[in-house]
Amino acid sequence: MKLAKVPLTVSEGRLRAIQAMPYMRDIVLSLIMVERPDLGTLAVDKWGRCYYDPAWLDAHSTADAAFVFLHESFHVFLKHCERLLNTEPVMANVAKDLAVNSMLVSSGVPACKEGCFPRDFGFPDNRTTEEYYEMLEKMPKQKEPRGGSGKGDGKGNPGEGKGEGKGEGKGDPSTEPGKPCPGKPPDKNKGEGGSGQDGEQKPWECGPPSDDQRIPGLDSFDLEEIIDGTARNIVKHQGSVPGNLKRIAKNIIDPPTDPFKLLETVARSATESAPGFGQYTYKRPSRRLLEGGAVLPHHRKPMPRPVVLVDTSGSMDHRDLGLALGAIQRGLRTFQSLTVVAGDTHIAAVSKVFKADQVQLAGGGGTDVGAMIEQACEQKPRPTCIVAITDGYTPYPSKPVNCPVVICLTQSSQKDRVPKWCRVVELNPKGE
């Protein structure tokens, strides 16, 4: 007599997950399990709750359940709810799934076949979420896995649906042409990832934790403590850990200085200490009068006039220019508008911008940022601070100019070439 299949339980899947990756136990065991029949998958919200469909667990092996529990735990650990928020949402979710699944497979965790992996797209393993998103953006449409629309499962696989081939939309798209194409929107109620992945609260989630809720949730302090503990477990783990995972854990324990925040601080400091602050003028007399009717001058505070120079020479590749635009966007948070000067051996374009996408990146020839700095100092009115963004492969002025200068390097290896009288900010301190 054939015995009925024993349904997979939550505890079995979590136990197998901890056995596969012991250092993830803090997050795996901290997930608050919430049953959601007809969900069609497992999903995590941004308050540490893991929603599961019992029918999905019954239909899958313990190994599959372990893989998905770890998958959801990594969404929490990598804070995916805070990343790629202002991008194409479906593509962003696929990029996050590719980053997580690549990490799991590299760790030797048996893969769930209902997942989406870098090899499906011809991508390399162990890249960041942002790198996978950029790869997906550049991917020609004809190279996408073939198939039709379907329902997603929150793991990078949009789910089942009729494709161009005979498959049911499951498995590896390189071998089964019926695999639906990642990039199709998931069903609004079935197979949708939770807010722990994209930051958007779903109708079937419990919402932010509150005292009157029957199902509790984890607040930001609790989650930070769990993530920090997991990072320390990863660093201390003696067994095999993917190299990028250990690096991520070290950055969580000892976070690197945000170069863009440092740039804001340095640029503001240089601007606020510019010559001319504290001058007085009689063009607009003070409202205070001395005894006898003497007129007092009015205090005059100069307007900050930072100028941003962008090196657009041939040595600046798309990554360097991307860092430059990111620095400008951060600068616009401090100053509502910026004068941005682009060029290579001389100034090629000058524009006043309110958004980073308004910058005109003219140039493309040789490099002489020093000449551009000297030209910028001759502008009327004179800048209160010059921020030059360059890869560093350039000459600089031979002597100090009459304006504070901040050199923002996209290539840290060129730091020693910067003159001592310039402030230096490394936009890519680890060359990553």
Side-chain angles (χ1 to χ4, degrees):
M1 182 175 119
K2 187 175 180 180
L3 296 175
K5 182 179 178 181
V6 178
L8 295 174
T9 63
V10 169
S11 58
E12 287 174 333
R14 295 169 91 178
L15 177 60
R16 179 72 68 90
I18 295 171
Q19 290 173 339
M21 296 180 111
Y23 42 82
M24 292 296 293
R25 65 178 182 272
D26 287 358
I27 293 183
V28 173
L29 294 178
S30 296
L31 294 177
I32 300 166
M33 306 307 301
V34 182
E35 184 176 319
R36 282 289 183 269
D38 297 326
L39 183 62
T41 185
L42 277 75
V44 68
D45 69 13
K46 56 185 176 181
W47 299 285
R49 304 186 191 94
C50 184
Y51 303 87
Y52 67 95
D53 184 349
W56 189 95
L57 290 174
D58 290 344
H60 291 77
S61 67
T62 304
D64 285 347
F67 183 91
V68 178
F69 275 119
L70 288 169
H71 179 101
E72 301 302 334
S73 297
F74 268 105
H75 281 317
V76 176
F77 179 69
L78 298 174
K79 296 183 179 179
H80 276 166
C81 63
E82 301 175 4
R83 297 168 67 175
L84 295 179
L85 297 183
N86 298 318
T87 57
E88 201 287 314
V90 177
M91 193 182 298
N93 283 348
V94 173
K96 294 171 185 178
D97 289 328
L98 291 176
V100 170
N101 290 345
S102 172
M103 202 174 297
L104 291 174
V105 172
S106 298
S107 302
V109 180
C112 176
K113 65 179 181 179
E114 294 181 1
C116 199
F117 303 90
R119 65 175 181 268
D120 299 339
F121 298 84
F123 296 161
D125 289 324
N126 295 323
R127 298 301 172 89
T128 66
T129 296
E130 288 73 18
E131 286 174 321
Y132 280 127
Y133 183 85
E134 185 176 346
M135 294 178 195
L136 288 169
E137 279 189 310
K138 296 179 179 178
M139 187 175 67
K141 291 186 181 299
Q142 63 268 23
K143 290 187 178 181
E144 293 179 355
R146 293 178 292 170
S149 61
K151 301 180 178 66
D153 65 357
K155 310 297 165 292
N157 172 25
E160 300 182 3
K162 293 183 179 180
E164 297 175 2
K166 297 180 180 180
E168 295 180 352
K170 298 181 180 180
D172 188 339
S174 63
T175 58
E176 295 187 36
K179 170 80 172 186
C181 171
K184 298 294 183 181
D187 186 277
K188 293 184 177 180
N189 298 312
K190 294 191 67 175
E192 186 178 18
S195 60
Q197 180 172 356
D198 59 16
E200 296 293 328
Q201 183 178 337
K202 306 301 184 296
W204 38 264
E205 293 182 355
C206 297
S210 62
D211 294 337
D212 58 349
Q213 275 184 332
R214 185 172 57 86
I215 301 174
L218 302 175
D219 59 26
S220 58
F221 178 81
D222 292 331
L223 287 170
E224 287 293 341
E225 189 173 19
I226 293 168
I227 291 171
D228 184 75
T230 301
R232 294 182 186 280
N233 290 338
I234 292 171
V235 172
K236 292 187 296 184
H237 186 68
Q238 300 298 319
S240 175
V241 176
N244 62 329
L245 179 56
K246 187 159 283 190
R247 174 180 57 80
I248 292 169
K250 289 179 178 178
N251 287 343
I252 291 174
I253 298 171
D254 185 18
T257 302
D258 183 348
F260 297 103
K261 191 66 178 177
L262 179 61
L263 172 60
E264 278 186 27
T265 303
V266 171
R268 185 188 293 112
S269 173
T271 301
E272 290 177 348
S273 62
F277 182 82
Q279 292 182 353
Y280 294 87
T281 178
Y282 283 95
K283 291 182 179 180
R284 182 183 175 187
S286 173
R287 290 179 294 179
R288 294 191 305 164
L289 296 176
L290 293 177
E291 186 175 350
V295 178
L296 294 175
H298 183 75
H299 184 269
R300 175 177 169 270
K301 180 179 179 180
M303 293 294 292
R305 292 184 300 275
V307 171
V308 180
L309 303 182
V310 181
D311 178 3
T312 55
S313 62
S315 62
M316 292 280 287
D317 61 19
H318 72 282
R319 186 178 181 86
D320 297 314
L321 294 175
L323 287 169
L325 294 177
I328 292 170
Q329 188 62 46
R330 284 295 187 100
L332 288 169
R333 297 180 185 179
T334 303
F335 310 99
Q336 270 108 33
S337 65
L338 287 172
T339 299
V340 179
V341 176
D344 37 36
T345 59
H346 63 281
I347 292 176
V350 181
S351 54
K352 186 174 183 179
V353 302
F354 300 89
K355 295 187 295 184
D357 56 11
Q358 296 175 332
V359 176
Q360 302 177 38
L361 297 176
T367 311
D368 193 346
V369 170
M372 292 175 60
I373 291 174
E374 292 174 344
Q375 292 175 41
C377 287
E378 296 173 358
Q379 291 187 357
K380 301 294 183 182
R382 192 177 68 193
T384 54
C385 172
I386 293 177
V387 178
I389 307 175
T390 175
D391 56 5
Y393 296 97
T394 176
Y396 297 97
S398 57
K399 58 183 179 180
V401 295
N402 58 354
C403 177
V405 176
V406 180
I407 303 296
C408 297
L409 292 175
T410 61
Q411 303 289 337
S412 299
S413 60
Q414 301 303 304
K415 183 177 181 180
D416 294 339
R417 300 183 58 189
V418 180
K420 300 298 183 184
W421 49 270
C422 297
R423 297 289 299 273
V424 179
V425 174
E426 299 174 64
L427 296 183
N428 194 24
K430 294 188 178 182
E432 296 176 351

